[in-house]
Amino acid sequence: KKFIMGDATTNEVASRLPSAWRLVAPPSALATDGTRIHTTIDDRHITVVRLGKRTYAIDSVCYHAGGPLGAGDIEDIVVDGVSVPCVRCPWHHYLISLVDGEKWYSSLERDETGKLVPAGWRSSQESLQRVHDVEARADGIYVRLRLDGDVNSDKYAYRDDCAAGLGRRGAGSRAGADGRRRRPPSGQALQRRL
């Protein structure tokens, strides 16, 4: 239930207050590498993903067009020798860092003949998708919302109609829209399969 307070809804007012740690799942929910859970905290849709020994929390709904980002495939890209874990939006194939919410893309530049050639990975240089603090403790998985500043994903973060595409498969579901964690090469969405 949302109440209007002047020109701000309760969600907008709550977004200006510091957030507390919230228990979102038992420790067994993310016991296996590549599992994820979809949850809500104060009506905000969040996806929590375990990759190896690290756990990440990110807004579930994509900043670009309200797609089910939290259900996307998990991929690692390598930038300057460093692995960057990302989730690929199943709608428009945007690649979003689970670490800082930046959008990554494989850039092109023209060579001396004018032909377009790969120029490596580039980022948006700013967080477009909000990421949150997460801790795996002995008694469960805890998330603390990071609500400082404005981030593009805020406009869809509270929308139930957008989050419906996540499928709510429950705690411990396997990563990826097809149930597998994979790391396809960049541009796989554009490759033609024969």
Side-chain angles (χ1 to χ4, degrees), residues 29-51:
L30 295 177
T32 309
D33 183 29
T35 55
R36 70 181 79 189
I37 56 173
H38 306 294
T39 189
T40 57
I41 299 175
D42 297 334
D43 296 326
R44 188 179 197 99
H45 298 281
I46 308 293
T47 296
V48 183
V49 181
R50 176 176 170 218
L51 300 175

Side-chain angles (χ1 to χ4, degrees), residues 11-31:
N11 286 336
E12 291 166 338
V13 172
S15 72
R16 298 179 190 130
L17 302 173
S19 180
W21 286 99
R22 305 286 182 85
L23 175 65
V24 296
S28 61
L30 295 177

Side-chain angles (χ1 to χ4, degrees), residues 131-153:
V131 295
H132 305 283
D133 298 324
V134 61
E135 289 184 359
R137 301 178 188 173
D139 63 331
I141 309 301
Y142 287 80
V143 173
R144 180 175 61 193
L145 298 179
R146 282 192 197 164
L147 300 173
D148 51 310
D150 293 323
V151 176
N152 292 18
S153 64

Side-chain angles (χ1 to χ4, degrees), residues 76-84 104 120-121:
D76 284 334
I77 61 170
V78 178
V79 180
D80 297 327
V82 177
S83 179
V84 179
W104 284 91
W121 288 104

